[in-house]
Amino acid sequence: MRLRRRPTEQEELLVGSDLFDEQWYGAQSGQQLDRLAAVRHYLDHGVGSGLSPHPLFEPGYVRRRLGPKRLARLGAGDPLTFVLRRGLTVPTHPLLAPAAAGLVEGDLAAWIRERYAAWPARPERDRGQVAVSVVLTCAQAPERALAAGRAAAETVGDGVEILVRDATGGAPDGSVLDALLRFPAVRVVRGEARPAGEIVVLLHDDAVPHGTWLDPLVAALDASGVLAAAPLLVQPSGAVESAGAAFPVVGLPHPLLRDFPVEDAAAAGALRLTAL
């Protein structure tokens, strides 16, 4: 019987970090591995080769941003582990601080094209086959939208498009959203764009969907008189963020069951709320 090696503290740190993307790393290393195996490969081989663990983490750039004392402590070690263990707030990517990297807009556009040229080509998608459009608008820094867009693209099936609207108004932030184009379901647009699907789902950029989140929402619309459906949103603390919108007789609409224990939302799916 072959025993599996337990993760080390360093491996667990990277596995639990949003700054390690196993698919991004796999595209560079040529190793399509599960998350823990990808972290181990990165620590054993990727660090020494200078490979990037995430679209917004450039190891060489991070090294250049560290002061002499911190750089001496890091040595030949992993910059990502170094940043995570110390809770450093240094920019981890030229796109997050383009002026500091000496990049003007023209140079930045060329850098982006070169950087993302290694991504697999996106197959053509017939928009006529789209029944549901998940619309994600990115108005600020792209880190949250990248996480939300990736999670949505990995959890939807055929007949669904992920329409990512770049509303940042700036090339450095918005252009990094093009990394999502590796997913066939994703369409990234600047400005206005019409969703291809008859059913439109609005996804906030700080919401990360899980599992079969979309199917119950779409299925709820099949009931007579139902024109809209809302999901259960859960805060990082585990409390309810919203179990839908409540429309009181007096006052403004507000999130239903906000800050309640998530167990209290078990029966919320059967509620029928009237709204205008």
Side-chain angles (χ1 to χ4, degrees):
M1 182 176 66
R2 184 177 181 180
L3 298 178
R4 298 188 65 181
R5 177 164 60 91
R6 295 184 61 181
T8 64
E9 176 272 334
Q10 182 183 22
E11 291 168 351
E12 289 183 339
L13 181 68
L14 269 60
V15 166
S17 172
D18 290 337
L19 281 175
F20 188 86
D21 184 329
E22 66 271 22
Q23 294 190 9
W24 168 268
Y25 176 73
Q28 298 174 84
S29 65
Q31 302 288 325
Q32 298 304 316
L33 305 168
D34 63 38
R35 189 165 179 80
L36 177 57
V39 163
R40 286 172 170 165
H41 188 278
Y42 166 72
L43 293 174
D44 291 341
H45 307 285
V47 173
S49 300
L51 299 184
S52 166
H54 188 277
L56 292 177
F57 195 97
E58 280 287 332
Y61 178 75
V62 172
R63 288 180 179 276
R64 293 192 298 272
R65 299 289 293 176
L66 296 176
K69 291 184 178 179
R70 285 176 171 170
L71 190 58
R73 293 192 192 101
L74 171 60
D78 172 32
L80 176 56
T81 303
F82 190 83
V83 168
L84 293 176
R85 281 177 173 166
R86 288 161 177 78
L88 301 182
T89 57
V90 296
T92 59
H93 195 286
L95 291 177
L96 302 181
L103 294 172
V104 298
E105 186 168 332
D107 294 333
L108 187 61
W111 184 92
I112 291 168
R113 286 194 297 270
E114 178 182 354
R115 183 64 174 139
Y116 293 123
W119 282 106
R122 184 176 64 144
E124 292 297 324
R125 187 180 183 86
D126 183 1
R127 296 187 63 197
Q129 297 178 351
V130 174
V132 179
S133 293
V134 177
V135 179
L136 169 64
T137 298
C138 176
Q140 298 179 356
E143 300 96 307
R144 296 189 308 182
L146 280 174
R150 172 188 166 182
E154 290 178 338
T155 53
V156 300
D158 295 335
V160 180
E161 73 163 352
I162 312 296
L163 178 59
V164 180
R165 292 185 60 250
D166 173 13
T168 60
D173 279 345
S175 296
V176 75
L177 294 172
D178 290 344
L180 290 170
L181 291 175
R182 60 176 163 138
F183 296 105
V186 171
R187 187 158 55 106
V188 178
V189 298
R190 274 90 195 178
E192 297 300 320
R194 184 180 180 85
E198 181 181 356
I199 298 173
V200 176
V201 178
L202 302 180
L203 177 64
H204 200 278
D205 66 356
D206 68 351
V208 179
H210 298 280
T212 57
W213 66 281
L214 187 60
D215 293 342
L217 284 177
V218 175
L221 301 178
D222 293 334
S224 176
V226 175
L227 299 179
L232 174 65
L233 301 179
V234 181
Q235 303 175 35
S237 66
V240 173
E241 173 72 21
S242 171
F247 295 83
V249 176
V250 179
L252 298 174
H254 59 270
L256 183 65
L257 298 180
R258 184 168 189 174
D259 295 327
F260 277 65
V262 71
E263 293 79 12
D264 290 355
L271 293 177
R272 295 176 65 88
L273 305 175
T274 301
L276 177 62

